[in-house]
Amino acid sequence: MTSVGSSSEHVIIIVLWKYRLSLYQWKRRDDVKIIVVAPPRMLVDETNVDVYYQVEPPIRDHDHCLLMHKVRELCSIFSSKNPKLVVFERSLQRPIAQIRRDMEVDGFRPEQLLHFVHAEEAITMRNGLAAISLRQCSLSGTPQPDSWAEAVRRQIGGFPAVVRPLRHHCAHSVGFIRNENEFKNWFRRNSSVHRNEHYVVQEYVDDGHEFNAVCSSADGILGCISAIETHRSVLECIQNQQPYALEYLSANQTRDIFPGLESFCIQVIKSIFPTSYLGLIFIRGYYKDHNEIFFLGFGLEPDSETARLLYALPQSNPWEVLALTAQLGPQREDTSAIDNNYHLVINFPSAEGVLIHQTNILRRESYMRVSWKSAESAEMKDSDHLDDNVLQVFLWNSNRSQLLADCIDIINSTDITIDRNALNERHSLCRKNVAKLTAKELVRSCTTTD
């Protein structure tokens, strides 16, 4: 007969679908039982896992039937232990929420999940967050630049502003409008592309840091990713293929550099989430100073692979470990695992064309890791997301001033050669060589710490 553990034991059931998970940094605890349910090869390291159930799903099992059947079985077995269900993928949130409701397991239920994930604007208005949110207005129908400009002035105070189509939304469909003339011209240019579209126009924060703070209701702020630059948004850099930097700050570093941000995040959590929620919360917004912090939205998981890499940089608590620890309630701070370094990544967005050469990135005072995301002679498309990069440079240093100086120097001095005409010239030399080089193409990823 299989034992289900002692009465004081916490049971955490992790469910994976396409997310490759490694828990090598999870410190095993006698009072915590970690169970993983996943398809083969999704668990990278089994060392710190108590039980690993492999489930071979059929092809095109969009409803995750076999996976969910196993999870229901385990919830029944461990029902007396009040098990916690943890997922790291958005596609699993809804079926797991259904199991929580059916099996009376703590956590988000389907109605709560829909309420929280798909209605951020309504949440903002309903939960008293309008005062700390960016003003916005909705426009729909055939574009009418003159009357719409008046509506923008009346409802959000004028320009600058950000225009987002709701149905055909991508990085390059967003307009960053500086004045009324740009607003009218933008709609005249895009009226044939986005006919009868619904738009959201939001006020633009000038001279503010974009941030994405990871928090828990029990421990407050756990860390924060913020944009280094304040005069242009990350999305603008992606649109224009301009390099930009994102910095990861620990909880203590966030408190020092962005005073007031933690109390702001706690206010948002209390306004939106039930007190029983123990998962991680990723809060997005803009920070100008401790009196001017604006709420943009939130998520239940990181919104990019770049963010996941940044959370793992301190080599102490990647976000997956933070998510598991959050299920256990308030925790003492582990002073032995504190990393006093500051960390950042410089993204060089990809651009349509062929990469001619992976240039050498010279050493700086800060520790550095260089990762080329595209091979020489490889065809690239215009960047459309935080993860669409030709090059990423990771830097870390205990001296933040030196770190930022090295960051700026790399951005200003790095020249990446891309042939933007090669894709239009079917018989160009670079294009002929692509087929020859495919089998042996080199993607460079090097570390320089000596």
Side-chain angles (χ1 to χ4, degrees):
M1 183 175 178
T2 302
S3 172
V4 295
S6 64
S7 58
S8 61
E9 187 178 55
H10 297 275
V11 176
I12 299 178
I13 302 173
I14 302 172
V15 188
L16 307 174
W17 175 243
K18 295 182 179 179
Y19 189 88
R20 289 177 59 81
L21 175 67
S22 173
L23 290 179
Y24 74 96
Q25 289 177 297
W26 167 258
K27 296 180 179 179
R28 292 181 67 100
R29 293 173 45 166
D30 294 337
D31 63 334
V32 180
K33 187 182 187 71
I34 299 294
I35 300 173
V36 175
V37 182
R41 297 177 295 279
M42 288 298 103
L43 185 60
V44 178
D45 185 356
E46 302 179 31
T47 306
N48 293 326
V49 173
D50 294 288
V51 186
Y52 176 25
Y53 292 100
Q54 286 197 20
V55 177
E56 186 72 71
I59 299 175
R60 296 178 181 175
D61 181 17
H62 300 297
D63 295 325
H64 319 294
C65 294
L66 290 181
L67 205 62
M68 296 304 114
H69 178 75
K70 191 65 181 179
V71 174
R72 288 177 182 273
E73 177 188 330
L74 293 172
C75 287
S76 178
I77 293 173
F78 293 99
S79 59
S80 63
K81 308 297 178 185
N82 191 22
K84 304 293 192 300
L85 296 178
V86 177
V87 297
F88 302 111
E89 301 163 83
R90 186 168 300 180
S91 62
L92 293 179
Q93 291 283 2
R94 186 175 295 182
I96 290 298
Q98 184 67 44
I99 291 179
R100 290 195 187 105
R101 184 175 66 180
D102 296 343
M103 307 293 291
E104 297 185 350
V105 175
D106 290 343
F108 272 163
R109 308 296 170 86
E111 59 276 9
Q112 292 175 315
L113 191 67
L114 291 174
H115 173 72
F116 288 122
V117 175
H118 298 297
E120 287 184 359
E121 182 180 352
I123 287 171
T124 298
M125 302 306 295
R126 199 165 39 236
N127 292 273
L129 295 178
I132 60 174
S133 301
L134 295 176
R135 291 174 295 176
Q136 62 183 39
C137 65
S138 298
L139 304 172
S140 61
T142 303
Q144 302 174 16
D146 293 323
S147 60
W148 283 7
E150 175 59 31
V152 170
R153 284 195 301 271
R154 186 174 61 254
Q155 296 184 46
I156 70 171
F159 302 94
V162 182
V163 182
R164 289 184 172 87
L166 291 182
R167 284 186 299 180
H168 303 91
H169 180 65
C170 71
H172 298 279
S173 67
V174 178
F176 294 89
I177 312 299
R178 302 295 176 181
N179 52 55
E180 187 172 325
N181 287 333
E182 284 188 16
F183 180 80
K184 295 177 180 179
N185 291 334
W186 190 89
F187 276 103
R188 291 188 181 106
R189 288 195 308 270
N190 292 277
S191 59
S192 58
V193 179
H194 303 302
R195 188 177 297 276
N196 295 321
E197 176 66 89
H198 294 273
Y199 302 89
V200 171
V201 182
Q202 191 174 61
E203 64 176 314
Y204 180 86
V205 177
D206 201 12
D207 195 29
H209 291 273
E210 290 180 64
F211 71 83
N212 193 333
V214 54
C215 313
S216 76
S217 57
D219 296 313
I221 197 163
L222 302 173
C224 178
I225 293 175
S226 70
I228 297 295
E229 296 189 57
T230 59
H231 65 281
R232 56 184 176 179
S233 71
V234 169
L235 191 56
E236 283 181 280
C237 295
I238 292 174
Q239 284 184 348
N240 300 322
Q241 287 101 40
Q242 296 173 324
Y244 59 93
L246 300 172
E247 182 179 23
Y248 173 76
L249 300 170
S250 66
N252 287 331
Q253 291 169 347
T254 302
R255 295 180 186 115
D256 291 339
I257 296 170
F258 296 136
L261 183 57
E262 181 171 30
S263 59
F264 171 87
C265 291
I266 292 174
Q267 178 186 353
V268 171
I269 293 170
K270 289 181 177 179
S271 300
I272 298 177
F273 290 86
T275 55
S276 59
Y277 179 69
L278 292 176
L280 293 185
I281 305 151
F282 296 83
I283 298 175
R284 305 186 305 275
Y286 277 95
Y287 182 96
K288 296 187 73 171
D289 58 48
H290 69 282
N291 288 321
E292 290 187 281
I293 310 175
F294 302 97
F295 173 72
L296 275 181
F298 60 88
L300 303 179
E301 62 277 313
D303 56 6
S304 66
E305 183 62 26
T306 298
R308 295 186 182 98
L309 291 173
L310 275 174
Y311 290 128
L313 274 182
Q315 299 298 316
S316 56
N317 282 325
W319 86 276
E320 297 94 339
V321 173
L322 294 176
L324 296 182
T325 305
Q327 298 294 325
L328 307 176
Q331 301 291 308
R332 291 182 180 178
E333 186 175 19
D334 185 1
T335 56
S336 64
I338 292 178
D339 184 348
N340 293 319
N341 285 316
Y342 295 88
H343 303 80
L344 63 79
V345 62
I346 307 171
N347 282 347
F348 291 81
S350 59
E352 186 172 9
V354 171
L355 177 62
I356 301 301
H357 178 61
Q358 295 170 331
T359 187
N360 184 41
I361 309 297
L362 298 178
R363 278 188 58 201
R364 268 46 177 206
E365 292 293 325
S366 301
Y367 293 102
M368 180 170 66
R369 184 168 68 84
V370 178
S371 179
W372 286 92
K373 299 300 181 181
S374 183
E376 291 180 352
S377 301
E379 297 181 3
M380 300 182 298
K381 296 181 179 179
D382 285 340
S383 176
D384 194 41
H385 189 261
L386 210 65
D387 294 332
D388 296 336
N389 302 294
V390 59
L391 168 67
Q392 288 186 310
V393 180
F394 296 88
L395 298 172
W396 61 99
N397 197 319
S398 59
N399 185 330
R400 185 168 183 261
S401 297
Q402 183 62 56
L403 180 74
L404 297 180
D406 291 340
C407 168
I408 294 171
D409 184 39
I410 291 174
I411 288 177
N412 292 335
S413 63
T414 302
D415 183 24
I416 300 176
T417 307
I418 298 175
D419 186 348
R420 297 176 180 270
N421 297 317
L423 296 184
N424 297 324
E425 299 172 2
R426 295 297 176 181
H427 301 290
S428 68
L429 179 62
C430 290
R431 196 168 183 86
K432 286 180 180 178
N433 288 339
V434 168
K436 298 179 182 178
L437 293 174
T438 299
K440 298 181 179 180
E441 63 186 4
L442 170 66
V443 176
R444 295 181 184 170
S445 182
C446 63
T447 303
T448 54
T449 58
D450 52 3

